Amino acid sequence: MTQTATASGRRLANQILDLIREAKFEPGHHLREQQLADMAGVSRTPVRAALKLLSELGIIEARRNQGFFCSKPMTSYSASASMSRPAAIRSCTSSW
């Protein structure tokens, strides 16, 4: 995980993963920053940082000049309320 990822950035990344899972987005689905920002109640800047973190972890795909896209089905992901946010991200990525 990158050292620049803050606790709030990791928390937002987990929120985005939950939104993707709940919406049952298929691989290739375009993740629109504004839509995710509206759903999470934040501006696009922290959403962009969270998406970048998820991309660096290989959970989603970043395409230059196109945006972020689901790269794998999220059905194997299950967030646990008892897990810390970094552990939830690690558990999600370990099953890929």
Side-chain angles (χ1 to χ4, degrees):
M1 187 171 301
T2 63
Q3 290 183 338
T4 58
T6 63
S8 60
R10 290 188 301 267
R11 191 171 28 257
L12 183 56
N14 269 291
Q15 282 182 296
I16 291 171
L17 285 175
D18 288 340
L19 290 170
I20 293 169
R21 183 180 45 84
E22 290 168 10
K24 298 180 181 172
F25 291 147
E26 296 292 323
H29 180 84
H30 187 198
L31 300 169
R32 301 188 192 301
E33 291 176 7
Q34 187 62 57
Q35 181 182 27
L36 293 171
D38 292 344
M39 294 169 89
V42 297
S43 70
R44 287 186 0 228
T45 301
V47 167
R48 190 175 304 118
L51 290 171
K52 183 178 178 198
L53 171 63
L54 294 173
S55 174
E56 289 170 356
L57 293 171
I59 298 171
I60 63 172
E61 178 184 358
R63 297 181 192 166
R64 187 176 174 115
N65 297 324
Q66 293 181 10
F68 296 91
F69 297 82
C70 290
S71 59
K72 299 181 181 175
M74 295 287 161
T75 55
S76 62
Y77 170 73
S78 60
S80 170
S82 64
M83 271 190 209
S84 68
R85 293 301 182 185
I89 290 176
R90 281 194 303 274
S91 72
C92 176
T93 58
S94 66
S95 64
W96 297 44

